[in-house]
Amino acid sequence: MHRTQMTPIALALATAFTLQTARSEQIEDSVALPAQVPGQVRMDADHVDGQLDTLLKARGNVVTHKDDQTVLSEWLDYYRESSRLKAGDAFRIIKPNEQVDGRLLDYYLDSHTGSAQSPVFRSRQKGATLRGKGDHLEFNGPDQYRIRRSEATTCEPGDESWYLKSSTLDLDYVSNVGVARNATLFFQGVPIGYTPWIDFPLNNGRKTGFLIPTLKTTNNGTELTVPYYFNLAPNYDLTLTPHTNTKHGIGMGAEFRYLQPGYSGTLFTDQLPKDAVTKQHRYVWSGQHIQRLSPQLTFGYDATKVSDDDYFRDFGDRQAIAANVNLLREAWVNYAMSWTGGSANAQARMQRYQTLQDPLSPVTPPYARLPQLTFTAYQTLPQGFSANLTSELTQFSHPTQQEGTRLIAYPSVTWNFARTWGFLRPKLGVNYTNYDLAAYQGAASRNATRTLPVFTVDSGLYFDRDTRLLGSDYTQTLEPRLYYVNIPTKAQSQLPNFDSSENDIGFAQLFTENRFSGGDRINGANQVSAALTSSLINQDTGLETLRVAVGQRFYFRNDDISLSGAETQRKKNGSDILASIGGSLTRSLRLDSSYQYNNDLGKTQRYDMGVIYQPKQGKTLSVRYRYGRDEQVSATRRDYLRQLDIAVQWPLTKNVYALARNNYSLRDRKNLEQLAGVEYNQGCWSVRLVGQRYVTNLVTTRTAYFIQLELKGIGGLGSNPIDTLRLAIPGYSQTRSVEP
């Protein structure tokens, strides 16, 4: 064999060829050839002969290059006029992010069309990898292929854990859509699913087609859902979800999402025309919308409605049951304005709720606000002063309770003195409330007012110093804070209670002027809250290694207001004592705890302590203990609470992870939630087996089973436990994202 030498000038005049040397072995490699004129063909081989203007034959280590296409082969025949090449007995064609190997190639360089025998292909687009093989491949234009009798997978080379076998496979990287016909999904060599036709995105993007079916099993039946996704436009889509439940029957869900420059929202429904158990039509409707009409004006709504009180207990998970007691339905319009040194906001809102009742623990529905008008304003003033206004006009409506209209106007002036070493913020305001009450239970309609001056002073200091502890350098901080409140005590038992409740005391509540939420109750106060916080911050890592805080409120008078509005007398001159200790003891170990001592009773009111150990992703162990002397254990009952919560995700081997959680009531000697499972992650696929049992009300529990096979690049088959695991196990990580 000998290498043919030709001058570049002769090649340019005769055939626009240049002869150079290059090789390529991997899809991500580019052939190292000198810069060329676009459209120019270059070739290198051990031996080249033939007619330059008609047919050129190359033999031995042939490399042909044109623009972004490179062909490597043992031999090659090139037809100049048609830009056609035939290559064998083995070839490799390389394009950006694409590679095809095979036995024989018949290919047109200009049109990117042709065919190949025994192809082995691989592509990578936007992080999505696809590879496989077939009997025959057709090149149908730039980045468009058809493979006959193909096998395709997203696994790494050498890993055939799963593959999709089809009679034809079309790959269109122009539209980023793949289509397989007569396709069978094989897992570990065993067929687990068949479809006559399936299409899928090639770049992890959205496209119209079936989503992965899910299978969920609980003591309310086994449910199969087969969602179909419509990619209607880049900014809106629709998902239809037919489903069948072995206990309740056949239903249909639908979700429409939209996103525009000026507005966005979601519409969702799930319909069960005739429940096989209740013989009733059962449904849920939900919608959210927000729209900006101008830079200042926005409006929106948020509404949910279900057919019956038991809907979420029958069809929801634990989180849905806990979160959906009062279903919100509201619409609002908001106008915001600003000017030099100030701003204001006005809002009109209509709000009511659907309350889902538990027969064993009934609750009183909240009031509807029909409507609620609010206006707030802020203005800076000279010398560090600022003026504030909070106001509200609300019409409260209720089927069984006192109805009426409430007006609140609360103007105030604040002086803000702030330095790097501390701050001082005195505030003086007047809270005016007026009620126009309707006739109720034989009593005539009436009007009532309440006017209370409010004076507060918030102050704090900042100290820090460098210190050394156990061989490490730290910054220690010390932050004392005092908050004084003075509000006259005024009986309010003649006023209705539309929306007020008493807040539990905590560090945040220590530094508020009113311990009641809502606008119907205002506590009397001549008191000061004091707190001291200290931190140790590691100077090398930046971690807050330790944070300790203690705080208490002290009363200068004992008169007070209860939630009923009646005047009462405090037994002690101080509130409950609060303390907390926490911090990142190491990068892997974190502690947080809180303690509340009841100063009236001389007993512990509540405390909780938790530690979480997480040395790396996929390894997490958390333990938490909670105690409460007088806690809300149901909607209508208070009792003491003692709970132990343990959760873990831990590798048993390199690929196998154990999952568990147990939330146990020591008072009732009963499990509130139990979860156990295992995950196996092979890299190209993973499987999750999870069982969960939890309390739904005072006397019943629900059991759910999750079995999911997740295939890399396709998704999960079965019921998805990921959201459940994230809520149940602090620090949970999906095993596919865990680095070995």
Side-chain angles (χ1 to χ4, degrees):
M1 301 289 289
H2 66 278
R3 184 167 297 280
T4 302
Q5 300 292 333
M6 301 182 183
T7 66
I9 296 177
L11 290 173
L13 292 175
T15 63
F17 283 100
T18 56
L19 303 179
Q20 303 294 340
T21 302
R23 304 303 300 162
S24 176
E25 297 299 331
Q26 297 181 359
I27 187 173
E28 55 267 21
D29 292 344
S30 60
V31 177
L33 293 175
Q36 68 176 81
V37 177
Q40 186 181 64
V41 177
R42 294 175 294 176
M43 186 181 297
D44 175 70
D46 292 338
H47 180 81
V48 179
D49 59 19
Q51 301 296 322
L52 293 177
D53 58 346
T54 55
L55 174 63
L56 192 67
K57 295 179 178 289
R59 299 292 183 268
N61 299 314
V62 184
V63 179
T64 306
H65 188 87
K66 180 179 181 181
D67 298 332
D68 59 357
Q69 303 177 86
T70 301
V71 180
L72 299 86
S73 59
E74 296 178 7
W75 60 263
L76 183 141
D77 294 341
Y78 180 76
Y79 301 84
R80 174 181 173 273
E81 291 187 1
S82 60
S83 192
R84 178 186 183 186
L85 57 84
K86 292 183 177 181
D89 290 325
F91 75 89
R92 172 173 293 172
I93 182 169
I94 301 172
K95 300 180 182 181
N97 301 316
E98 300 172 22
Q99 177 177 300
V100 179
D101 292 77
R103 186 168 56 85
L104 296 174
L105 175 67
D106 187 351
Y107 186 69
Y108 293 83
L109 287 171
D110 291 343
S111 62
H112 299 255
T113 59
S115 62
Q117 302 299 318
S118 304
V120 176
F121 58 91
R122 185 181 179 193
S123 68
R124 182 165 55 221
Q125 297 282 344
K126 296 183 179 180
T129 299
L130 182 71
R131 67 173 185 86
K133 61 183 179 180
D135 289 351
H136 181 81
L137 183 145
E138 299 171 10
F139 299 91
N140 295 324
D143 300 320
Q144 294 175 305
Y145 310 91
R146 167 169 287 187
I147 305 100
R148 299 188 182 277
R149 293 175 292 281
S150 69
E151 294 179 5
T153 183
T154 60
C155 297
E156 294 300 318
D159 185 353
E160 307 299 327
S161 299
W162 71 265
Y163 57 88
L164 188 68
K165 189 173 183 178
S166 56
S167 60
T168 61
L169 177 64
D170 293 326
L171 305 177
D172 187 344
Y173 287 100
V174 177
S175 60
N176 284 310
V177 175
V179 176
R181 293 174 174 83
N182 296 317
T184 301
L185 181 62
F186 284 79
F187 178 68
Q188 299 297 341
V190 178
I192 61 173
Y194 168 81
T195 178
W197 179 90
I198 187 174
D199 62 350
F200 48 89
L202 296 174
N203 60 349
N204 288 330
R206 303 181 305 162
K207 74 166 302 297
T208 297
F210 283 102
L211 303 179
I212 299 300
T214 63
L215 185 69
K216 179 173 67 175
T217 300
T218 71
N219 51 4
N220 273 317
T222 298
E223 183 168 284
L224 173 66
T225 64
V226 185
Y228 190 87
Y229 176 79
F230 294 88
N231 186 27
L232 304 175
N235 57 339
Y236 56 93
D237 57 25
L238 171 68
T239 303
L240 297 180
T241 308
H243 54 84
T244 180
N245 185 290
T246 56
K247 183 176 181 179
H248 293 279
I250 298 174
M252 172 68 77
E255 183 181 41
F256 178 68
R257 303 184 302 176
Y258 52 94
L259 175 64
Q260 294 285 356
Y263 61 90
S264 63
T266 302
L267 295 172
F268 172 79
T269 186
D270 199 290
Q271 302 285 327
L272 189 66
K274 187 175 182 179
D275 190 313
V277 176
T278 66
K279 310 303 180 184
Q280 301 294 320
H281 176 202
R282 307 187 71 183
Y283 59 84
V284 57
W285 287 96
S286 180
Q288 296 83 37
H289 177 87
I290 183 170
Q291 184 162 352
R292 183 173 295 278
L293 301 177
S294 72
Q296 295 80 29
L297 184 63
T298 58
F299 80 91
Y301 68 82
D302 185 352
T304 301
K305 177 178 174 58
V306 296
S307 56
D308 56 89
D309 291 336
D310 293 325
Y311 184 87
F312 289 107
R313 282 190 286 271
D314 286 344
F315 303 113
D317 56 16
R318 185 185 184 191
Q319 289 70 42
I321 295 170
N324 293 291
V325 176
N326 292 306
L327 303 182
L328 177 66
R329 293 182 233 168
E330 71 171 9
W332 50 266
V333 178
N334 194 86
Y335 187 80
M337 63 198 88
S338 62
W339 55 85
T340 303
S343 62
N345 191 87
Q347 185 181 91
R349 179 170 63 166
M350 305 284 284
Q351 182 187 78
R352 66 164 63 245
Y353 297 88
Q354 179 186 4
T355 300
L356 306 185
Q357 297 286 0
D358 183 345
L360 299 177
S361 183
V363 298
T364 301
Y367 276 86
R369 295 174 170 91
L370 303 171
Q372 181 183 51
L373 309 176
T374 61
F375 180 78
T376 60
Y378 169 83
Q379 178 64 57
T380 59
L381 301 172
Q383 305 300 319
F385 284 90
S386 63
N388 299 270
L389 172 65
T390 300
S391 60
E392 170 198 313
L393 177 63
T394 306
Q395 170 69 48
F396 291 95
S397 176
H398 198 281
T400 61
Q401 304 291 324
Q402 170 77 70
E403 296 184 323
T405 301
R406 184 184 69 196
L407 170 67
I408 297 176
Y410 183 14
S412 63
V413 176
T414 303
W415 181 59
N416 185 17
F417 176 82
R419 296 293 185 269
T420 57
W421 45 265
F423 65 92
L424 179 67
R425 299 190 190 100
K427 185 184 82 168
L428 178 63
V430 177
N431 191 310
Y432 171 79
T433 310
N434 179 273
Y435 292 89
D436 185 7
L437 302 175
Y440 177 65
Q441 293 184 343
S445 61
R446 61 190 177 92
N447 187 272
T449 62
R450 178 187 63 199
T451 303
L452 291 172
V454 179
F455 176 68
T456 67
V457 180
D458 196 4
S459 61
L461 296 173
Y462 307 126
F463 302 97
D464 64 75
R465 67 170 185 170
D466 294 335
T467 187
R468 189 169 179 82
L469 182 66
L470 300 176
S472 298
D473 293 324
Y474 292 89
T475 297
Q476 182 184 8
T477 67
L478 188 66
E479 302 175 35
R481 184 179 178 184
L482 293 175
Y483 182 71
Y484 175 75
V485 182
N486 193 310
I487 304 173
T489 301
K490 187 173 184 179
Q492 300 160 43
S493 57
Q494 297 303 309
L495 303 179
N497 185 358
F498 293 133
D499 62 2
S500 283
S501 61
E502 187 170 2
N503 298 320
D504 284 334
I505 190 169
F507 275 99
Q509 208 275 326
L510 278 181
F511 300 98
T512 58
E513 60 192 49
N514 188 16
R515 75 173 190 278
F516 298 105
S517 63
D520 295 308
R521 297 292 179 263
I522 300 177
N523 56 219
N526 184 10
Q527 63 196 32
V528 63
S529 297
L532 183 65
T533 304
S534 181
S535 297
L536 275 178
I537 302 172
N538 190 301
Q539 295 181 359
D540 295 327
T541 65
L543 292 175
E544 187 179 53
T545 303
L546 187 65
R547 181 180 181 86
V548 180
V550 62
Q552 188 180 11
R553 180 179 289 154
F554 300 94
Y555 305 111
F556 298 119
R557 66 171 189 257
N558 290 330
D559 51 302
D560 192 16
I561 297 295
S562 68
L563 183 60
S564 68
E567 290 191 54
T568 61
Q569 293 292 314
R570 299 185 182 92
K571 299 177 182 179
K572 298 288 184 178
N573 293 327
S575 71
D576 291 356
I577 299 172
L578 303 176
S580 69
I581 300 176
S584 299
L585 305 181
T586 68
R587 287 191 178 274
S588 304
L589 183 64
R590 179 166 182 82
L591 163 72
D592 67 270
S593 64
S594 64
Y595 178 82
Q596 180 179 338
Y597 180 79
N598 190 311
N599 204 32
D600 289 342
L601 301 177
K603 297 180 179 179
T604 296
Q605 180 68 20
R606 62 169 63 92
Y607 65 88
D608 71 84
M609 176 179 293
V611 293
I612 179 169
Y613 176 64
Q614 191 173 17
K616 61 180 295 186
Q617 277 192 318
K619 284 186 175 182
T620 179
L621 170 64
S622 66
V623 180
R624 179 168 292 278
Y625 177 78
R626 294 179 59 208
Y627 168 81
R629 191 190 62 82
D630 183 25
E631 301 292 322
Q632 195 82 36
V633 296
S634 72
T636 58
R637 187 166 67 94
R638 299 183 70 89
D639 204 339
Y640 80 92
L641 177 147
R642 291 173 60 214
Q643 292 180 2
L644 179 64
D645 198 333
I646 302 175
V648 62
Q649 178 191 20
W650 206 262
L652 302 178
T653 68
K654 180 181 178 181
N655 304 102
V656 180
Y657 291 75
L659 308 165
R661 190 226 181 154
N662 190 23
N663 186 9
Y664 184 76
S665 173
L666 298 169
R667 184 200 68 187
D668 302 314
R669 297 183 180 180
K670 181 174 69 174
N671 291 302
L672 303 179
E673 180 182 6
Q674 292 175 293
L675 182 146
V678 64
E679 284 186 289
Y680 177 81
N681 179 31
Q682 184 266 358
C684 187
W685 61 274
S686 59
V687 64
R688 301 179 181 91
L689 306 174
V690 178
Q692 182 190 30
R693 174 175 292 176
Y694 53 90
V695 174
T696 58
N697 57 33
L698 295 178
V699 296
T700 62
T701 61
R702 172 181 287 185
T703 302
Y705 300 98
F706 303 87
I707 303 175
Q708 184 187 43
L709 173 65
E710 185 174 6
L711 305 179
K712 179 182 176 183
I714 287 186
L717 305 173
S719 52
N720 187 353
I722 298 300
D723 290 341
T724 297
L725 293 172
R726 285 173 176 164
L727 290 170
I729 303 175
Y732 168 80
S733 303
Q734 287 186 246
T735 53
R736 68 180 182 185
S737 64
V738 175
E739 296 183 2

